[in-house]
Amino acid sequence: MATITTWFTLGLLGELLGTAVLAYGYTLVPEEMRKRYLLLIAIPGIAIVAYALMALGFGSIQSGGHTVYVIRYIDWLLTTPLNVWFLALLAGASREDTVKLVVLQALTIVFGFAGAVTPSPISYALFAVGAALFGGVIYLLYRNIAAAAKSTLSDIEISLYRTLRNFVVVLWMVYPVVWLLGAAGLGLMDVETATLVIVYLDVVTKVGFGVIALLAMMDLGSVGETAEEPTAVAGD
């Protein structure tokens, strides 16, 4: 357990540093983007609380002979919908598609947790439902939400949407693999290794997602300022 506590502590430090960087970045992005940008700060900010609790030994239960970190699933239930909500806002998606996207992502986490605390073979059925729901998230991100982005965004903004979408989809697809190989599934991966992998993924997905968006927003702000300069000169 000492090793697991070490991984949780490192995860806490990573989320703290990432949140600090993103909070500073709030002052660097264009004012019209700041309301949306708050979602990027909230994602690792929520994770700080989760990792602090887990590092202190709170938020875990025993189920089916293995440890389930309830706090981790609460973290994901709160943060992963924020990721896809940001993508929907960025793309200018309809309210209907945005709600579908957020709800499907939340249900993916709910069924993943249900599978983790339920004995097999029912656990695998619940996991399969969660995987199918995640398939719906991917479908929306690559079809409806992508279509909205294509019709409303500039080429630079579309590039940002695609980068962030591919970033989270590829990395999030590793989590089900860890679930299957870990204690909740086949038991081929020990708890310490699974914890290390998940901590690494959490920091990269939460902080990396925000940093990529921050850098792109700063570039968009610079482009906007450059475009306004000729107009100002002409007016003079």
Side-chain angles (χ1 to χ4, degrees):
M1 294 300 292
T3 303
I4 293 177
T5 301
T6 300
W7 300 149
F8 287 151
T9 303
L10 290 175
L12 171 61
L13 294 175
E15 303 292 359
L16 277 168
L17 178 60
T19 303
V21 170
L22 293 174
Y24 174 71
Y26 179 83
T27 64
L28 304 177
V29 300
E31 188 172 348
E32 64 271 15
M33 298 180 182
R34 288 180 178 176
K35 187 175 181 180
R36 183 189 309 167
Y37 183 83
L38 289 174
L39 294 175
L40 302 176
I41 302 174
I43 291 169
I46 292 169
I48 289 174
V49 179
Y51 273 102
L53 291 172
M54 289 189 289
L56 292 172
F58 297 108
S60 64
I61 61 173
Q62 293 296 316
S63 179
H66 64 274
T67 303
V68 178
Y69 293 96
V70 180
I71 294 294
R72 174 182 289 160
Y73 284 95
I74 295 174
D75 170 5
W76 293 341
L77 182 61
L78 295 173
T79 57
T80 59
L82 293 183
N83 283 107
V84 295
W85 187 17
F86 180 86
L87 287 172
L89 290 175
L90 175 63
S94 68
R95 179 176 296 181
E96 181 182 357
D97 283 336
T98 300
V99 171
K100 286 180 182 177
L101 186 67
V102 171
V103 170
L104 283 174
Q105 180 56 41
L107 288 175
T108 297
I109 304 303
V110 170
F111 277 92
F113 173 73
V117 297
T118 305
S120 60
I122 298 175
S123 61
Y124 292 105
L126 293 170
F127 172 80
V129 173
L133 291 167
F134 183 54
V137 171
I138 295 174
Y139 176 84
L140 285 173
L141 288 175
Y142 281 84
R143 294 295 297 273
N144 299 38
I145 310 299
K150 190 173 181 180
S151 64
T152 60
L153 302 183
S154 66
D155 289 342
I156 297 176
E157 290 170 323
I158 290 175
S159 177
L160 171 60
Y161 170 79
R162 289 172 177 167
T163 299
L164 291 174
R165 176 196 63 190
N166 296 342
F167 181 81
V168 293
V169 167
V170 171
L171 289 178
W172 282 356
M173 289 178 71
V174 181
Y175 286 92
V177 176
V178 176
W179 192 101
L180 280 173
L181 296 179
L186 300 173
L188 300 177
M189 182 182 291
D190 60 72
V191 178
E192 290 80 5
T193 303
T195 300
L196 171 60
V197 173
I198 290 176
V199 168
Y200 174 79
L201 287 171
D202 272 356
V203 173
V204 172
T205 54
K206 290 177 170 63
V207 176
F209 185 91
V211 170
I212 291 171
L214 167 61
L215 295 175
M217 286 178 166
M218 290 170 60
D219 287 341
L220 286 170
S222 299
V223 170
E225 290 175 2
T226 303
E228 290 173 2
E229 287 178 3
T231 303
V233 172
D236 292 341

